[in-house]
Structure formats: C-alpha cells, structure tokens
Amino acid sequence: MTAPGKPKFYLTTPIYYANSRPHVGSAYTTIVCDVIARYKRMCGYDVAFVTGTDEHGVNIERAAEKLGISPAELVDRNQKLFRDLWELLGIHIPPQHFIRTTELRHVRAVQTLVRRTLERDRGREHSKRAIYKAKYEGRYCIYDNAYVSDTPEPADCPTCGRPAELVSEENYFFRLSAYQNQLLEHYKNVPDFVYPDFRFNEVKSFVEAGLRDISISRKSIKWGIPWPEDPQHVFYVWYDALTSYMTAIGFGEGHDGETNPEFKRFWPADIHAMGKEIIRFHAVYWPAFLIAAGLPLPKQIVAHGWLLFEQEKMSKSKGNVAYPEPIVKVLGNDALRYYLLRETVFGHDGNFSRDALITRYNADLANGLGNLASRTLTMVANYFQGVVPDCPLPDEAHEQNVVRRMESAIRAYEGFDFSQSLQEIWQVISLVDFLIVSKKPWALAQGEAERDQLSSVLYTACESLRIIAALSHAIIPDATQKIWEQLGHPGKLADVRIDQLQWGGLKPGTRIGKPEAVFPRIDKEEASERIEAMEQEIRNPSAAAPPASAGQGATAAAPAADSKIGIEDFAKVEMRVGIVKSAERIQGADKLLKVMVDIGTEVRQVLAGIAQYYTPEDLVGRKVVVVANLAPRKMRGLESNGMIVAASVGPEGKPVLATFTEDVPAGARLK
Ligand code: MSP
C-alpha cells in the first residue's frame, strides 16, 4: 500500500452527511481534493486520499423516519450513491480509504481517542480535566450541526435561518476554553495553518474572543457511537466525524490506537480540505481534541468557497441543486471538473450555471484544447506519415514563453489557484494556435524547400501539446490521457513527474496514434435539454416508467430515452438463469412473494412484487432471469438478494416474467 522512498502526503475531504444524495456542491469538494491528490502524485508523493460518509446524528435519524426505514438502511443506501459518484467521476478510492462512521473500526477509533484523553485526565483536579460531565441547555441547529445559542430562549440558525431546537440534558463536555492559548500559539508557529489567509484571520479572531466549552455527547440520541463505560451517551457529531480522518488510515489499533503502520506513516494529515462553513470545527475543535489526546496536529486546513446556484448555497434542502451525473453523461467527466476549477476562484464563492458550463465546454475544451490536438496530430499524420518530425529550426521565443507559462501554472497549483493554472495552460494553447496560424503549415507543406520549417513548426506544436497535456492532467485526466496516447506515449500520463517537466521531452521519430476528437462539439440547446431531463429524473424518479422488475421494487433512474449506455455498462449487470425452488406469500404484504431461486452456485432469497399476478404454485420449477449482483435490500424485515426480471405490461404495469422455452441450466449468464 505504501511506497517506501517516496515522501508521503495525506489528504482528506470532509465526510459527507449520508442523509441525502450528493450534488454538484458536494462533488466540488471531492473533485478539488482529487486534483490536489493527482497533482501531488505527479510531484512524486505517495498520496493517501481519504473520503467517506458521516452517518450518525439526528439528521439521519429524522431522514430515515420520514422514509419509514431504519437509519442503518438509509445510510447504507446513501453511502453507495457517494461511492458510485466518485467512481463515475474517475475518482478511485481504495475501499479502506472510504470511511463510514458506522463501521466498527471507527467505533473503536472514537472510543480509543476519548479513552486516551480520559487517561491523561486521570489524577488531574476536575477544573483541569479536558472532559467532564455537566448539564447542557441551549439551542442547536440540527441542519447545520452547530450551536446557535447557549441559552434556552428561541433562536434561529444564522446559517440556514431555521428555528434552532432546544437541547437540555446532562452531557460530556470538552473543555475547549482551556486550549485558547495553545491554539493561538500554534497559529503563530504555523503561519499557513489555515488557507486562505482571510479565513485564517476569522479563525484567529474567533479564538481570541474566548472559547466556550462544547458538549460532545448526547443522551437523547440513539443513533451514534456509545460512550465507553457509559453507553447511555452517544458521541455527538463533530468528535465522531473528525476522528474518521484517523480511522481511515488505521488509528484505533492497540492500546493507544497508534500501532498501525499506515497510521504511523501518514498521520498527521497534510491537508484537510473542506468548504468554508466547517473551518471552525477543523481549525479550532479538531486541534484541541488532538492536543488533549497527545496526538500530532494536521499540517493545513484548506477551505474553498461555496458553489452558488441562483445566488444561494446549493443545497438539497433549499431545492436549488444541480446533480453531477447528468453533466458527466452528456458532457463527460473532464467538462465538469474543468468548469468547476476554471470558473470558481479557489477559496471564494462561485456561481454554477448550466449555460456557462456548456459555453465553456464548447469554447475552451472543444474549440480550444480539442481542436488544437486534432489539428496538430492530423497534420503530423498527413505531412509526416504519423511520425513526430525533427526540429532543425527551434523557435526559442516560443519555447521560453511555454516554459514561463509552465512555471506559472505549477506555482499556481502549489498555491491552490487552479483557475490561474488553467489560464496559464490555456495561454500555451493560444501560443500554439498563434504559431500555427502565423506559420501556416498547410502552405509550408506545398514545397520541399520549406520542409525544415514545416517539421520545426509541427515538432514545436506537438511538444507544446505534450506539456499542455501533462500540466492539465490533474484537472482533466481523461482527455489528456487520450492526447498523451495520441502523441505516441504508451504509459500513463499520471506517472509523469510534473515537477520535472522540461522542454524537449518529446522524441522526434515517435509514432503518433490515430488522431481522434477528445471533446466533440456539442449543440448547446440539445445538451442543456438532455441534462435537464436527466436531472428531473433524479429529482422525481416516480415520474419515470415503473421498472419492469418483479424484484426489489427498484427505483433506480432509467437512462433518459435518448441516452445510450456502453456495453461496459450493460456488463455490470449480472443476469443469470434461476430455477424457482419454492415460493410463499408474506404475511401483511399483498404484493410480495418470497421466492427461493437456485442460481447455479446457491439458492437465493428474492422478494418479488408479483403476488397479485402469480401464485406460489405457478412459480415452483419455473425458469426465471435473476439479477444476481444487486445489493441486498430489506423489505418487511426480510432480506431480498437479487431481482427477478419481468416485462411491465399495460398502464398498471402488470409483471410478466421473462423465461426460456429452450433447455438452459440454472446459473447460465445472460449476455
Ligand atoms: N459531515 C460534515 C463534515 C464532517 S468532516 C469531519 C459536513 N458534511 S456536508 O455533507 O454538509 O458537507 C460536506 C462538504 O460538501 C463540505 O466541504 C461542504 O462545504 C461541501 N458542500 C456542500 N454544499 C456545497 C456547496 N453548495 N458548495 C460548495 N461546497 C459545498 O459538513
């Protein structure tokens, strides 16, 4: 897992509340972190990149209640939406680096952290202890998970404006007030502890004004990690959530929690990245919790602004959200990443607009980078039979300009100024466009006398393109990898050292690949309509045609009528021939049958919504089609492990089971 010899770099996203599905705002944090992780890897670091889901608390309890399911079911369902989205966005998180706060390893870590603190408290007089019990009464916003006031009088949350709830009970408190001086000292010693500066100033002022102790347990909530030796209390959100940054890399093993080699290598974190509204928890609470437990502090807290949609923070509860999946399906993964990093100046708020997204796609990606790549490579194919030519007449001014832009782009990456990095890189695109327009290779190709000039121009364009691809890879990984291959490089662009990039790395004589458009131009209106249709589908899945399944009552959104899936998408669905061994009605559920199906390797229990159309006797011995790799789901307290496929007929969606007229064995795969 670790790469000895390389310096380590540990980076985290916040863990996302698992009470709803991710939107473009949540994706922004993870995309930014993925860019940093990719960039650092290209600088030679061994990067651990952690994300996950925050699965405890009142919010989750309430959201589950509304849906009539258990909190465990809700978080199980929703965490998958996050995992799937990161995969869709090309952000591959190793399973152990996706942390769920309901995992046992995390329970162990939180309890270990508090035990360490309690042990250090032992023997200290009460007023010196980091953790103590006391009565709490105050107002708390359950939506933003923040104390709004420490008095019982009604108060509204300053962030979301909703009325805050009254909390009154005995809690465990953390003596945050005692850490004021140590925190201020730390801020002085580590001048870049919080990025950007103006946020650091806000943090300092907050701490200078004096800190109040905070409650870190609750008795009124059941859905949480039990306090060791006092399980009537569960940990309250932030102590639990923040500790996940250590759990994910192995904290919690051994008596002091520190025996895991990965933890020893990667802790402390190099960067905790997040949106601006949760800096305080990371730059004030978290360091204090760690000091109290005798653990090293993270090196830097990096905060971005909000993505605004119609002038307000994009958020599902306000209903002003855009979802990433439709954008990726219509414009591709790179388009969303490029737009978010180019349009919003990191650290500040930015506006999200579908219109601007598609405009940028066409202007910067299709007409800019995409067009440059295909023009250049097509000329090499046409004039040099697909082989990168020599450069007998180097254009020093151009080279120097490219190198200067390259250095600025790297400096901007180092300073989290991704928008600036992209501007620098796009300046290189303009330089090459200018070179091509002014030298007119198509005219030079007319005569033998200009051969040296022609080959020099095309070498220079190809080499510039190589540098452009490497520099922008962290932000637009898919297209740049394709360009890299089209330039004749077999390996992964991700393995190139961005900090060692130099002019002249492209070898004349390299055979280029087949030039193919990396960003096909797209009709704005049509793209916008397709995205809109898919978003509607996500917002209102019930409007979709009922699934033709007789299984889990799945409500997965069907792709919009005009969108196509690739064969690799279809291959993800494992459909097998099953033979029904037994079937029975389920008490209290007039639509469901419990069906035991032999799928060759095992007999599966599947709950099928067909009881109104098929009797158990109809089914026994029958051959059916089973989706065998569906995540298990509980209905009426029973687990369903798969889905039986049926056509959905007529306006009432009558299920008609798919079957075979020829002899097929149980377990045969449908392809
Ligand atoms: N669970 C806590 C974090 C605990 S970390 C130990 C939490 N979760 S969250 O789901 O509300 O937010 C997760 C991240 O998504 C935060 O960085 C937040 O800023 C980000 N965003 C959510 N909506 C956003 C926008 N509209 N714009 C930009 N980022 C936003 O807080």
Side-chain angles (χ1 to χ4, degrees):
M1 177 79 235
T2 62
K6 283 186 174 182
K8 73 92 185 175
F9 191 84
Y10 180 30
L11 166 75
T12 65
T13 76
I15 50 169
Y16 298 90
Y17 288 126
N19 53 347
S20 58
R21 66 179 304 136
H23 50 73
V24 169
S26 15
Y28 179 54
T29 311
T30 302
I31 289 174
V32 163
C33 287
D34 185 58
V35 169
I36 300 174
R38 285 175 190 266
Y39 170 74
K40 283 289 175 186
R41 286 192 188 110
M42 291 180 83
C43 290
Y45 285 85
D46 174 19
V47 176
F49 172 26
V50 156
T51 186
T53 38
D54 197 346
E55 303 191 352
H56 288 130
V58 219
N59 262 352
I60 307 271
E61 264 183 358
R62 295 202 173 165
E65 217 173 81
K66 263 197 205 154
L67 292 170
I69 55 175
S70 69
E73 257 178 283
L74 177 74
V75 295
D76 223 46
R77 198 188 281 179
N78 285 349
Q79 59 88 26
K80 187 151 184 323
L81 297 174
F82 284 89
R83 280 184 206 264
D84 290 351
L85 176 61
W86 307 148
E87 273 302 315
L88 181 72
L89 295 177
I91 301 173
H92 308 297
I93 308 286
Q96 76 277 19
H97 286 170
F98 187 99
I99 179 71
R100 301 180 56 188
T101 55
T102 48
E103 287 177 70
L104 202 61
R105 59 177 174 152
H106 182 61
V107 174
R108 223 172 23 226
V110 172
Q111 294 182 338
T112 305
L113 186 67
V114 87
R115 275 205 187 98
R116 277 179 72 120
T117 312
L118 293 169
E119 258 167 47
R120 291 163 71 91
D121 270 355
R122 198 171 295 152
R124 289 183 183 150
E125 58 182 90
H126 184 272
S127 65
K128 295 271 181 323
R129 290 189 189 152
I131 292 175
Y132 63 93
K133 239 177 178 178
K135 184 170 162 114
Y136 176 79
E137 230 179 26
R139 294 273 164 182
Y140 197 88
C141 174
I142 55 158
Y143 300 96
D144 291 297
N145 283 315
Y147 288 95
V148 169
S149 112
D150 274 344
T151 63
E153 278 76 50
D156 292 338
C157 170
T159 312
C160 69
R162 296 184 177 97
E165 301 214 342
L166 177 67
V167 187
S168 165
E169 59 177 35
E170 189 171 61
N171 290 169
Y172 283 98
F173 274 73
F174 182 82
R175 201 180 300 278
L176 190 62
S177 58
Y179 292 85
Q180 182 184 18
N181 291 339
Q182 284 176 81
L183 287 171
L184 291 174
E185 192 59 29
H186 183 71
Y187 300 157
K188 206 156 53 185
N189 295 337
V190 187
D192 62 351
F193 184 58
V194 177
Y195 177 90
D197 261 6
F198 61 94
R199 300 266 176 236
F200 199 8
N201 292 337
E202 290 166 13
V203 168
K204 287 180 198 160
S205 312
F206 174 74
V207 176
E208 276 158 6
L211 295 170
R212 289 192 318 247
D213 296 349
I214 52 169
S215 147
I216 55 167
S217 80
R218 281 287 184 276
K219 252 180 162 171
S220 51
I221 301 174
K222 297 280 159 290
W223 185 240
I225 296 176
W227 193 273
E229 271 72 73
D230 196 357
Q232 281 189 320
H233 288 260
V234 300
F235 282 86
Y236 207 52
V237 281
W238 285 100
Y239 199 90
D240 167 348
L242 290 159
T243 308
S244 68
Y245 296 143
M246 298 200 301
T247 317
I249 50 162
F251 178 76
E253 292 171 21
H255 171 73
D256 63 357
E258 288 188 79
T259 52
N260 183 300
E262 195 188 17
F263 181 75
K264 284 191 182 150
R265 169 151 170 80
F266 283 100
W267 192 257
D270 292 84
I271 289 182
H272 289 316
M274 72 210 61
K276 63 182 183 181
E277 80 282 16
I278 53 176
I279 299 177
R280 190 175 292 176
F281 304 107
H282 286 81
V284 182
Y285 291 20
W286 184 223
F289 295 163
L290 291 169
I291 296 172
L295 285 160
L297 308 192
K299 295 193 187 147
Q300 198 175 30
I301 308 298
V302 172
H304 62 71
W306 284 341
L307 277 192
L308 308 175
F309 199 48
E310 289 145 16
Q311 305 313 314
E312 275 201 273
K313 183 187 177 209
M314 192 184 290
S315 115
K316 184 163 178 233
S317 55
K318 290 187 189 137
N320 61 341
V321 275
Y323 292 104
E325 293 87 346
I327 298 170
V328 172
K329 283 183 187 147
V330 175
L331 300 176
N333 181 18
D334 285 345
L336 177 64
R337 296 170 67 104
Y338 176 82
Y339 171 75
L340 292 178
L341 283 131
R342 173 67 182 81
E343 192 86 3
T344 299
V345 175
F346 189 78
H348 297 267
D349 290 351
N351 266 308
F352 179 86
S353 121
R354 194 188 302 147
D355 208 55
L357 165 71
I358 304 173
T359 303
R360 277 236 178 256
Y361 173 89
N362 275 332
D364 298 5
L365 297 177
N367 294 345
L369 178 56
N371 184 37
L372 175 69
S374 61
R375 273 170 105 185
T376 306
L377 291 162
T378 305
M379 286 193 281
V380 173
N382 292 346
Y383 305 146
F384 292 94
Q385 291 78 47
V387 174
V388 175
D390 277 327
C391 186
L393 305 168
D395 182 339
E396 276 171 26
H398 176 91
E399 288 173 24
Q400 280 167 11
N401 280 333
V402 172
V403 169
R404 246 200 317 276
R405 295 291 179 185
M406 172 173 94
E407 287 164 357
S408 308
I410 290 179
R411 251 197 319 278
Y413 266 116
E414 290 289 329
F416 308 112
D417 197 349
F418 308 108
S419 176
Q420 185 60 34
S421 275
L422 287 170
Q423 287 182 56
E424 298 291 347
I425 301 166
W426 257 249
Q427 284 298 331
V428 181
I429 294 179
S430 301
L431 284 171
V432 190
D433 277 338
F434 177 74
L435 180 82
I436 292 177
V437 169
S438 55
K439 301 279 179 177
K440 302 189 178 53
W442 49 92
L444 296 175
Q446 301 308 314
E448 253 328 287
E450 282 82 25
R451 200 72 184 159
D452 278 0
Q453 272 199 62
L454 176 66
S455 66
S456 302
V457 171
L458 287 183
Y459 177 85
T460 305
C462 286
E463 173 57 356
S464 306
L465 194 57
R466 184 185 74 94
I467 289 178
I468 291 165
L471 286 176
S472 48
H473 183 62
I475 298 175
I476 43 172
D478 296 350
T480 48
Q481 176 65 37
K482 284 187 198 145
I483 294 175
W484 191 248
E485 285 161 20
Q486 289 178 24
L487 275 169
H489 298 100
K492 280 199 179 140
L493 178 48
D495 294 334
V496 167
R497 286 289 294 267
I498 200 170
D499 55 338
Q500 293 171 5
L501 263 187
Q502 277 180 355
W503 181 270
L506 181 61
K507 300 274 162 294
T510 305
R511 175 157 290 283
I512 63 162
K514 191 165 171 269
E516 270 167 30
V518 285
F519 293 114
R521 264 183 218 102
I522 200 149
D523 180 81
K524 194 170 178 178
E525 241 169 70
E526 191 200 316
S528 186
E529 275 168 21
R530 286 180 61 198
I531 294 174
E532 172 69 29
M534 288 188 219
E535 288 209 334
Q536 284 301 346
E537 185 72 40
I538 293 177
R539 280 192 207 105
N540 187 13
S542 56
S549 72
Q552 303 192 341
T555 50
D562 56 346
S563 84
K564 301 264 190 282
I565 61 164
I567 188 76
E568 66 288 354
D569 290 314
F570 176 71
K572 285 186 196 149
V573 184
E574 186 192 333
M575 284 198 271
R576 297 205 176 266
V577 175
I579 300 180
V580 177
K581 293 278 146 203
S582 65
E584 59 182 272
R585 295 190 182 279
I586 298 171
Q587 235 188 358
D590 52 2
K591 292 193 180 141
L592 282 182
L593 286 184
K594 185 175 104 181
V595 186
M596 303 303 289
V597 201
D598 178 358
I599 57 160
T601 45
E602 63 183 295
V603 176
R604 287 277 186 90
Q605 172 171 302
V606 178
L607 304 185
I610 53 175
Q612 290 169 318
Y613 303 93
Y614 290 88
T615 65
E617 297 68 42
D618 289 333
L619 294 177
V620 178
R622 187 168 179 144
K623 290 198 174 106
V624 290
V625 176
V626 176
V627 179
N629 62 341
L630 262 190
R633 189 173 166 209
K634 270 204 165 157
M635 287 184 276
R636 306 268 171 179
L638 293 170
E639 193 166 270
S640 182
N641 249 307
M643 182 172 98
I644 299 179
V645 178
S648 175
V649 179
E652 78 284 7
K654 175 186 169 200
V656 177
L657 293 177
T659 190
F660 298 91
T661 49
E662 291 163 66
D663 200 21
V664 277
R669 178 141 190 203
L670 278 80
K671 301 191 206 180

